[in-house]
């Protein structure tokens, strides 16, 4: 799979070598990442959003610290970034297992574990996961195309865009904690038929998330040199990034709301809405600008495409919100 993926990457041999080093280190974290998904689902299902937030903070905080240690202090470069992410996933798993054990849930899980294989439950789970799989593949493909075209525009553009995507990813990690809580409470309020609580939850979550996204964007726009020098010592990258960092405002502005809406509809188990929204956003919001960016060799159009993609996600999901707030109990 690694060879197939990198064969599709339009980049110089040096860039491909760095990407392969990153992949070789990162892949060791895959088992922990999958188990962490289980843990987060477990805590969310038990209305323990605070523990999910704690696990996210452990993973993301650990990733930042280890990135600085491995890359800046020890000089491991791309391999260090992959190793930092993998190690942070195992740290998250360790903390999660401690939390589960402290509540004595292992014995309870063993008593009800057989219910996982009940036919109706499995069919419902596979139906939801089918839509989520398509949605996730579309999302990953969008960012993969963005990265691949960045490489096609030159090593400097690739380095600049990769750093900016790191900022987007960092902000998304913080917003994800709020999205997880929104997911959990949305499901609870739907089960209670509490439409007013659903609406209030959505307004509060979107407002806080938007604030977080814009704060992240503003900090990096106001202090680009100081902050990005912590991530790279290449002056040409720092200089170039100062012209592109303003794109963080639309990407994180629209993206912060889209993340919350993702969590909201996931909590309502509306997988088809998530799938349709993502496909429409990728095809009509992202693809046209990407084609133009390649034709005109324009990094600005590439970022416009990503901004349009985030905006399309927000709009397509937002249009579906009123339907979820109609009381159909009569």
């Amino acid at each position: 799979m690694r060879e197939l993926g990198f064969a599709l990457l339009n980049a110089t041999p040096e860039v491909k070598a760095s990407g392969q080093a990153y992949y070789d280190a990162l892949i060791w974290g895959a088992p922990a990442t999958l188990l962490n998904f289980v843990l987060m689902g477990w805590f969310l299902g038990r209305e323990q959003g605070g523990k999910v937030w704690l696990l996210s903070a452990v993973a993301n905080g650990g990733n930042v610290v280890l990135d600085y240690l491995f890359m800046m202090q020890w000089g491991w470069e791309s391999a260090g970034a992959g190793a930092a992410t993998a190690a942070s996933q195992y740290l998250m798993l360790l903390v999660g297992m401690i939390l589960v054990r402290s509540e004595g849930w292992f014995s309870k899980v063993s008593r009800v574990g057989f219910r996982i294989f009940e036919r109706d439950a499995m069919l419902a789970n596979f139906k939801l996961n089918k839509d989520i799989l398509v949605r996730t593949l579309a999302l990953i493909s969008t960012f993969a195309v963005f990265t691949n075209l960045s490489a096609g525009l030159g090593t400097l553009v690739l380095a600049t865009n990769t750093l900016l995507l790191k900022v987007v990813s960092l902000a998304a990690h913080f917003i994800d904690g709020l999205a997880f809580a929104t997911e959990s409470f949305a499901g609870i309020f739907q089960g209670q038929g509490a439409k007013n609580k659903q609406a209030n939850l959505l307004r509060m979550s979107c407002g806080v998330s938007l604030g977080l996204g814009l704060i992240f964007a503003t900090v990096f726009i106001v202090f680009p040199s100081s902050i990005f020098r912590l991530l790279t010592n290449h002056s040409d990258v720092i200089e170039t990034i100062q012209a592109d960092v303003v794109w963080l405002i639309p990407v994180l502005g629209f993206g912060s709301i889209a993340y919350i809406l993702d969590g909201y509809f996931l909590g309502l188990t509306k997988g088809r809405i998530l799938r349709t929204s993502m496909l429409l956003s990728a095809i009509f919001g992202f693809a046209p600008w990407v084609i133009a960016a390649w034709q005109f060799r324009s990094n600005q159009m590439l970022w416009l495409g990503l901004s349009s993609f985030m905006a399309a996600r927000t709009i397509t999901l937002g249009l579906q919100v009123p339907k979820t707030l109609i009381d159909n109990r009569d």
Side-chain angles (χ1 to χ4, degrees), residues 131-318:
D131 292 327
I132 299 302
L133 175 63
V134 174
R135 170 243 177 221
T136 303
L137 285 175
L139 178 63
I140 292 173
S141 298
T142 296
F143 279 95
V145 169
F146 182 93
T147 302
N148 196 30
L149 289 185
S150 298
L153 295 176
T155 302
L156 180 59
V157 171
L158 176 62
T160 300
N161 288 355
T162 299
L163 282 180
L164 289 174
L165 286 180
K166 275 287 187 183
V167 177
V168 174
S169 178
L170 179 63
H173 285 320
F174 282 89
I175 294 170
D176 272 346
L178 186 59
F180 287 142
T182 301
E183 176 184 336
S184 179
F185 284 111
I188 294 168
F189 294 153
Q190 183 190 43
Q192 297 173 346
K195 300 299 181 181
N196 288 337
K197 290 183 179 180
Q198 275 183 232
N200 291 335
L201 169 71
L202 198 54
R203 281 193 291 267
M204 182 188 69
S205 297
C206 285
V208 174
S209 180
L210 178 60
L212 283 174
L214 293 180
I215 287 172
F216 263 93
T218 301
V219 169
F220 279 88
I221 289 172
V222 174
F223 307 105
S225 298
S226 302
I227 299 179
F228 285 109
R229 285 192 189 280
L230 298 174
L231 303 175
T232 181
N233 56 5
H234 295 283
S235 57
D236 53 346
V237 174
I238 301 277
E239 184 176 334
T240 303
I241 212 169
Q242 294 186 44
D244 297 332
V245 70
V246 70
W247 284 109
L248 290 177
I249 290 180
V251 171
L252 289 180
F254 288 116
S256 61
I257 299 176
Y259 294 142
I260 294 300
L261 292 175
D262 265 0
Y264 176 76
F265 283 105
L266 191 57
L268 301 182
T269 65
K270 302 292 186 181
R272 179 173 295 183
I273 290 177
L274 292 172
R275 179 198 65 192
T276 303
S277 169
M278 191 66 71
L279 289 174
L280 290 175
S281 300
I283 295 171
F284 297 105
F286 183 67
W289 291 110
V290 166
I291 294 171
W294 183 249
Q295 285 292 113
F296 294 101
R297 310 291 293 176
S298 171
N299 190 42
Q300 301 303 311
M301 284 189 176
L302 192 56
W303 278 103
L304 182 57
L306 189 59
S307 301
S308 178
F309 170 70
M310 293 296 186
R313 288 177 62 194
T314 301
I315 294 170
T316 53
L317 289 175

Side-chain angles (χ1 to χ4, degrees), residues 76-147:
W76 289 4
E77 299 180 340
S78 297
T85 302
S88 67
Q89 288 297 311
Y90 281 102
L91 179 61
M92 178 180 176
L93 176 61
L94 175 62
V95 174
M97 297 301 287
I98 291 173
L99 292 175
V100 172
R101 182 172 178 78
S102 67
E103 296 185 356
W105 290 117
F106 284 122
S107 59
K108 298 180 180 180
V109 170
S110 63
R111 290 200 297 268
V112 299
F114 67 92
R115 296 180 60 185
I116 296 174
F117 300 102
E118 290 182 355
R119 181 177 179 276
D120 291 342
M122 289 186 69
L123 287 176
N125 188 43
F126 280 127
K127 182 180 179 181
L128 175 61
N129 283 336
K130 176 193 67 176
D131 292 327
I132 299 302
L133 175 63
V134 174
R135 170 243 177 221
T136 303
L137 285 175
L139 178 63
I140 292 173
S141 298
T142 296
F143 279 95
V145 169
F146 182 93
T147 302

